[in-house]
Amino acid sequence: MSSAITVASGQIEEFLQHRVAEIAGVTPSSVSLSTALSRLGVDSLGMLHLIEGIESELGTEIPNAICLDGLTIQSLAEVLAACVPGARRATVNLAQEMAADSKLPEDIRPAPGPAVALPRSILLTGATGFLGAYLLRSLLRNTKAQVVCLVRPDKDDGQTRVRRNLERYGIWDDGFDHRIAILEADITQPHLGLPPSSFDALAITIDVVFHAAAAVNWVHSYTRLRHTNVLALRELLGLACRHRSKPFHLISTLAVCYSMTGSREVSETDDVFADVAGIHLGYAQSKCVAESLVKTAAQRGLPVSIVRPALISGNSVTGISNTEDFVSKFIRACVQMGAAPDLDWLLDFLPVDFAAEAITRLVLNGNLEPFRVFHLANPKLRHWRELILWMNLFGYRVELLHYQDWLHRLNADVRNDREHPLRDLLPFFLHRPAGQKGLYLPQLYEESRRRKARFDATRELLEREDLTCPQLSTRLLDRYFESYIDRKFLPPVERSHRTDPPAADEHLQFDACFFNSVIGNHEVTRARPLEFSGGHSVIGELTSWKYGHSIGLHGYRLEFGDGQRERDVIVKVKARDKEVTAVGQTLAALCSPALGCAYERFSDCLGLTGCDTRELSVYQQDDARFRRFTPGFYGGRSDHARTVLVLEKLSRLEMMDSVESVHTWPAKYIEAAIQGIARLHAIWYGVQLGRAVNQSWSNQVLHRKQFAEARDLWVALADHACPIFSPWIGPECGAIQSVLIERLDEFWRLHEGMSHTLIHNDFNPRNLGFRRSGSELSLCLYDWELATVDLPQHDLAELLCFVLGADVQRSDLLRYIEMHRTALQDATAQQIDDTSWVLGFCLSLYDLMINRLPAYAMIHRFNEQRFLERVIRTWKGIFDVVSSTIYSPL
């Protein structure tokens, strides 16, 4: 971005006219050049935004003596014409300014001699900040050194301010007092504003420098931030080099990686300054230049570390956050506005206690290499929309709005509320960097545009240090928001985390008594919990958080009375169907009001009714043919509190959990899956519904006529899914969905005339694996909560969408359809018409696009389902084959 607008006053007027129009929310042509800015809608906050634009894009500062009262575009342009390039003096554009600032003066070179391996005195800047407070605590805990805290002179003495800051976050320890020394100094001044003798004494005394102080500002331009974040760094590097070499550790930011130019991935070893021209956030620009200075010092022999943390979040134990930072203010504003921008952001928030501990241990591990860079971010990413979904379930009604709609509301709210949390940050949200196709700055950080920062080297080092970042789980979010409420930062909410009875499931104790009561005829003497992570879907995790912590999968090792036997089992605690439906309702309403209304009216048509008791009912049957293809079932129970199953802990299954790792299955696994599911289908094929299994849920099975009557729901799901699916399978997606829904009445009449059976109804690589015996593969199918009575071809159609490639071959498809028919025919000894069978497969394929796949799209909006694009492309490939050669609905 250049400041070289050659000055004719008229050109500046045009520039100002466009900036004022952006602030006022009007067209440039409607902005009068001779009307006072205040009358054009530029209030004090708007003036701040205008000044930022002038300083960053024109490369000049507004003279302090200028009178703002009655200021017009014309009068302001006249003042600026005397200041900006072309008016009798040359100015430097931003790129040249950053390039010049990145040059470390030649006289800053480390003195000869080795650095101290075990520091006795550490200089820390930024101890009165949030991360700085935790860094101070971590340095005191992990070293025996005295920590000299450099703080700005203020009316309160430095010792009091540092102590008060740690007390504010609940991390002060009286044992710290004697190990903290305070140095009141100003890093922006030559020699830190100290007398030469004091500066020399400091250079002799300290052994290492931690530089965490910075002007963290999301609005100011590079020009406004360079004095604190760049030029001051030269003084500290000079101190580190003086008399003897002192390792220098710079706390930077991961934002330096997010340039819009250069390669799409950046690792710890890449030169981020090479792409600084593509960074549009002044703060990140200043840190990028600062890193260049530090890197030069390293090249001259100074041991240097740069740590690039992601956005810092609250304490993972207490939940206490910095209520003055961007994240907290943004959350508060969304709660206050009842709205959040619909942005494709992935959140990698780093809990402050972990960040400080990781920084300390990584840089003080005894490695004195000349130059090291660390990337720190949470490996468990959360989507921004998922956070908004969680906030709604927590009790805050927050809708998702298109960015410009939200921005319009924000602009209006800020004008009417001088205390609005985002008042000072409004220019950040309004800024549209030049050359970015009119996108706003926050949109440049969306996942489809943001560069990917790699962490490979840092994560390997964290593993060696046995450091694990706390996940941004629902439990951690709970702590953060409870702390916000306790500190009166957010308003209290009426929480309804439990349904009736209030906390029945919290009394579940998975001990020997529990297992004996469920298993029945075995004498369990001890039950030991196992480290087990069965994973959670987004709905499963939120349901567990909201309605009961015991919901989910729990691993246990059981010991029996003879002392010789052990068995590993999984305890599966089910959420009630109405709890799952309620979470889905919140999710649907956030997708769109129309989908929320349709979901509420027709939620019974989604197959969730009875899902809590259905799986137990399926497992309780005694048919050996069923048990051959399912996990071992040891017992279960269902009461007013919870449905609980005790199942075999599966291990060493081939292709288990392969939905992400294996995109196209080898034929041997597809064939084994088809043979296995055909034998399961054969058990109840053509049998009346009530006799299929001991079903307490048989009256809850959806009939096709009801399915057709829920047309409004399928239309709403299609409308939401189409923008997601169309980039994958083409613009005809919407037309295909419309035709399928329009012909529902015809489809259900064909459907009702065909033979049904008990189907798994979620038959894909997420819920199956294979046992191997010699060269034989045998299907093992689990997670039966969506089981229903329907066409057996439904399971086959779903499987093939997941395991075939998008370039589906007609011969392969017909072979698998015929394999399923003949295997079922052989197992039932019933003649099955091949023409009707293929038509049933087509109907099942259509059903997936009407119901199941759009439901995945709903979840995908909040939590990326990485398999979904591949599955949709394969569905389209199969659809094209059947439409061209078998049966076309179009």
Side-chain angles (χ1 to χ4, degrees):
M1 179 170 57
S2 173
S3 56
I5 292 182
T6 312
V7 185
S9 176
Q11 289 176 300
I12 297 180
E13 286 178 355
E14 183 181 357
F15 166 81
L16 295 174
Q17 193 174 33
H18 280 79
R19 288 295 170 269
V20 169
E22 181 182 287
I23 293 165
V26 297
T27 60
S29 60
S30 67
V31 176
S32 169
L33 303 181
S34 59
T35 301
L37 295 179
S38 58
R39 293 183 59 192
L40 292 174
V42 181
D43 59 8
S44 58
L45 183 63
M47 182 56 73
L48 173 65
H49 185 203
L50 182 60
I51 291 170
E52 287 295 333
I54 291 169
E55 292 184 350
S56 62
E57 297 188 50
L58 297 186
T60 189
E61 296 186 8
I62 300 277
N64 293 329
I66 191 171
C67 178
L68 299 180
D69 292 339
L71 191 66
T72 67
I73 288 177
Q74 284 177 334
S75 59
L76 180 56
E78 290 172 2
V79 172
L80 293 176
C83 302
V84 295
R88 295 181 297 276
R89 73 181 184 90
T91 52
V92 179
N93 67 27
L94 178 60
Q96 291 172 336
E97 183 176 38
M98 290 192 292
D101 288 347
S102 69
K103 307 301 182 186
L104 188 65
E106 282 297 325
D107 60 342
I108 299 180
R109 292 180 175 275
V116 174
L118 292 176
R120 294 162 298 178
S121 179
I122 298 171
L123 179 67
L124 172 66
T125 69
T128 55
F130 184 51
L131 176 59
Y134 282 86
L135 267 176
L136 174 56
R137 181 183 73 162
S138 186
L139 289 169
L140 292 170
R141 284 178 165 183
N142 285 281
T143 74
K144 297 180 179 180
Q146 181 187 55
V147 180
V148 179
C149 297
L150 192 157
V151 299
R152 286 192 306 269
D154 195 85
K155 60 181 180 179
D156 294 328
D157 70 273
Q159 191 83 25
T160 301
R161 284 154 54 209
V162 168
R163 176 171 182 153
R164 189 182 298 149
N165 191 43
L166 270 67
E167 288 175 339
R168 177 186 179 190
Y169 301 119
I171 58 173
W172 175 258
D173 185 318
D174 287 339
F176 294 162
D177 224 352
H178 72 283
R179 292 181 54 202
I180 297 175
I182 301 297
L183 173 66
E184 293 195 352
D186 186 347
I187 62 173
T188 66
Q189 298 299 313
H191 285 181
L192 311 179
L194 299 173
S197 58
S198 299
F199 188 77
D200 261 351
L202 182 65
I204 293 169
T205 304
I206 60 170
D207 299 318
V208 64
V209 178
F210 276 79
H211 183 37
V216 181
N217 190 291
W218 294 62
V219 171
H220 286 170
S221 64
Y222 173 81
T223 302
R224 290 280 293 274
L225 295 171
R226 63 189 287 267
H227 294 284
T228 301
N229 292 352
V230 178
L231 302 185
L233 185 59
R234 297 175 177 178
E235 297 300 321
L236 289 169
L237 286 172
L239 177 71
C241 292
R242 198 174 183 87
H243 293 303
R244 55 190 172 83
S245 179
K246 293 169 277 295
F248 191 94
H249 308 300
L250 173 68
I251 310 304
S252 184
T253 170
L254 205 57
V256 300
C257 298
Y258 301 137
S259 172
M260 299 303 293
T261 61
S263 64
R264 300 321 302 154
E265 291 189 354
V266 57
S267 72
E268 294 97 330
T269 58
D270 290 326
D271 179 14
V272 293
F273 186 74
D275 300 317
V276 70
I279 297 175
H280 299 286
L281 184 67
Y283 171 66
Q285 292 168 342
S286 71
K287 282 296 190 179
C288 198
V289 176
E291 286 194 15
S292 184
L293 291 172
V294 170
K295 185 176 182 180
T296 301
Q299 291 167 347
R300 296 177 184 177
L302 184 70
V304 159
S305 295
I306 296 173
V307 183
R308 298 171 181 157
L311 285 176
I312 301 296
S313 62
N315 187 313
S316 65
V317 178
T318 66
I320 296 176
S321 303
N322 178 12
T323 55
E324 297 300 318
D325 69 10
F326 175 87
V327 173
S328 295
K329 288 183 176 182
F330 194 22
I331 288 172
R332 186 180 191 180
C334 292
V335 169
Q336 182 174 311
M337 296 168 64
D342 190 357
L343 291 165
D344 183 23
W345 282 351
L346 281 181
L347 309 178
D348 50 10
F349 295 161
L350 200 63
V352 65
D353 47 329
F354 170 80
E357 189 70 9
I359 291 169
T360 302
R361 289 176 47 188
L362 286 173
V363 303
L364 294 181
N365 64 356
N367 187 335
L368 294 180
E369 290 180 21
F371 185 64
R372 297 180 297 167
V373 179
F374 306 102
H375 286 176
L376 287 177
N378 201 314
K380 171 66 174 176
L381 303 177
R382 283 278 180 191
H383 200 284
W384 167 246
R385 297 187 192 109
E386 194 176 352
L387 174 60
I388 301 304
L389 172 60
W390 180 89
M391 287 167 63
N392 276 270
L393 291 167
F394 186 85
Y396 295 117
R397 179 71 184 95
V398 180
E399 62 179 325
L400 283 166
L401 297 179
H402 185 276
Y403 186 77
Q404 286 190 307
D405 293 335
W406 178 82
L407 196 57
H408 180 75
R409 184 183 295 190
L410 173 65
N411 222 344
D413 285 2
V414 166
R415 292 179 186 281
N416 295 324
D417 180 5
R418 301 188 66 83
E419 302 300 321
H420 195 283
L422 295 182
R423 184 174 180 81
D424 294 338
L425 287 165
L426 183 60
F428 168 78
F429 293 102
L430 287 171
H431 183 43
R432 286 195 261 198
Q436 296 302 319
K437 301 177 181 179
L439 292 170
Y440 291 91
L441 183 55
Q443 292 176 312
L444 300 184
Y445 292 97
E446 291 191 286
E447 198 58 23
S448 59
R449 301 182 184 95
R450 188 176 79 164
R451 224 175 178 189
K452 181 180 180 181
R454 300 199 63 88
F455 307 87
D456 304 354
T458 305
R459 285 179 181 165
E460 184 178 333
L461 292 172
L462 289 172
E463 287 174 7
R464 290 183 197 168
E465 293 289 331
D466 197 24
L467 285 166
T468 303
C469 182
Q471 294 187 353
L472 195 60
S473 65
T474 52
R475 306 285 183 263
L476 183 54
L477 291 174
D478 224 358
R479 286 187 209 113
Y480 288 163
F481 276 69
E482 291 289 5
S483 174
Y484 283 147
I485 292 170
D486 291 344
R487 299 164 75 190
K488 297 182 170 48
F489 182 73
L490 288 181
V493 293
E494 291 187 10
R495 307 273 303 274
S496 56
H497 279 203
R498 306 288 184 262
T499 56
D500 51 324
D505 70 306
E506 300 307 321
H507 299 298
L508 284 173
Q509 298 292 326
F510 302 127
D511 53 15
C513 182
F514 164 82
F515 286 104
N516 282 319
S517 69
V518 173
I519 295 175
N521 59 349
H522 295 288
E523 186 158 344
V524 178
T525 56
R526 187 183 179 194
R528 287 183 287 137
L530 298 172
E531 285 191 15
F532 173 75
S533 176
H536 265 306
S537 67
V538 59
I539 291 182
E541 182 187 14
L542 291 169
T543 305
S544 172
W545 161 77
K546 185 169 177 65
Y547 294 110
H549 295 180
S550 67
I551 295 170
L553 303 177
H554 311 273
Y556 280 86
R557 176 161 293 164
L558 307 185
E559 297 178 6
F560 295 90
D562 56 15
Q564 303 298 313
R565 290 177 299 141
E566 292 183 338
R567 176 178 294 159
D568 290 347
V569 300
I570 293 298
V571 179
K572 187 172 188 177
V573 183
K574 307 287 294 181
R576 297 184 186 91
D577 56 357
K578 61 182 179 181
E579 295 167 348
V580 177
T581 301
V583 172
Q585 170 65 53
T586 304
L587 187 148
L590 278 174
C591 288
S592 76
L595 182 52
C597 291
Y599 185 103
E600 189 172 17
R601 286 174 58 204
F602 299 107
S603 59
D604 288 348
C605 297
L606 290 168
L608 299 176
T609 305
C611 65
D612 51 340
T613 57
R614 189 180 313 174
E615 185 168 27
L616 177 60
S617 215
V618 170
Y619 273 114
Q620 282 176 329
Q621 62 192 290
D622 294 324
D623 196 305
R625 293 173 296 174
F626 174 80
R627 297 208 167 187
R628 176 184 172 187
F629 297 104
T630 55
F633 172 69
Y634 305 123
R637 74 182 189 199
S638 183
D639 55 30
H640 65 280
R642 291 285 170 219
T643 298
V644 182
L645 296 84
V646 180
L647 300 164
E648 170 192 2
K649 185 177 184 294
L650 298 171
S651 62
R652 295 190 296 275
L653 291 189
E654 296 183 27
M655 304 301 284
M656 187 175 179
D657 297 326
S658 64
V659 70
E660 302 290 356
S661 58
V662 183
H663 292 179
T664 303
W665 274 20
K668 63 180 180 180
Y669 292 111
I670 300 175
E671 292 168 3
I674 291 173
Q675 294 294 336
I677 197 64
R679 283 168 173 75
L680 285 166
H681 289 157
I683 301 172
W684 306 283
Y685 185 67
V687 177
Q688 286 185 356
L689 174 60
R691 295 173 53 201
V693 286
N694 179 23
Q695 299 168 1
S696 60
W697 48 272
S698 61
N699 63 342
Q700 299 162 352
V701 171
L702 181 68
H703 294 281
R704 282 288 139 178
K705 184 177 180 181
Q706 295 171 271
F707 188 90
E709 289 171 348
R711 190 180 309 270
D712 288 351
L713 175 59
W714 313 131
V715 169
L717 278 169
D719 287 345
H720 174 262
C722 186
I724 298 173
F725 294 170
S726 292
W728 301 338
I729 61 175
E732 66 270 27
C733 175
I736 293 172
Q737 290 175 301
S738 296
V739 170
L740 296 181
I741 295 170
E742 286 170 8
R743 298 186 65 179
L744 269 174
D745 288 337
E746 175 189 343
F747 292 160
W748 81 255
R749 281 193 292 270
L750 291 170
H751 186 283
E752 290 300 303
M754 299 178 179
S755 294
H756 292 54
T757 188
L758 182 74
I759 67 168
H760 183 271
N761 202 29
D762 202 11
F763 187 51
N764 62 64
R766 297 159 64 245
N767 303 311
L768 63 85
F770 298 92
R771 303 183 197 271
R772 178 176 288 278
S773 177
S775 61
E776 296 295 317
L777 291 170
S778 177
L779 175 69
C780 181
L781 186 56
Y782 45 93
D783 286 351
W784 285 80
E785 56 259 31
L786 296 182
T788 190
V789 175
D790 207 325
L791 301 182
Q793 296 96 314
H794 190 285
D795 280 341
L796 176 65
E798 181 170 8
L799 174 72
L800 295 182
C801 286
F802 275 81
V803 301
L804 295 180
D807 56 340
V808 179
Q809 300 301 306
R810 178 178 182 273
S811 57
D812 291 338
L813 178 63
L814 293 179
R815 180 166 65 87
Y816 290 134
I817 295 173
E818 177 63 9
M819 181 184 296
H820 188 208
R821 184 190 72 83
T822 55
L824 183 59
Q825 183 173 266
D826 293 345
T828 59
Q830 298 181 39
Q831 190 65 30
I832 300 175
D833 178 70
D834 55 352
T835 302
S836 175
W837 181 262
V838 173
L839 178 59
F841 177 86
C842 294
L843 296 177
S844 299
L845 185 73
Y846 305 155
D847 179 81
L848 288 171
M849 181 53 78
I850 294 170
N851 178 0
R852 179 60 52 79
L853 298 179
Y856 277 133
M858 204 167 62
I859 298 169
H860 178 77
R861 182 170 167 77
F862 296 87
N863 183 283
E864 182 187 13
Q865 307 295 292
R866 288 192 292 273
F867 61 83
L868 186 58
E869 179 179 354
R870 171 172 48 84
V871 171
I872 297 301
R873 289 183 184 276
T874 302
W875 181 92
K876 180 60 162 54
I878 297 174
F879 177 82
D880 288 343
V881 170
V882 300
S883 295
S884 62
T885 62
I886 303 173
Y887 176 79
S888 175
L890 302 179

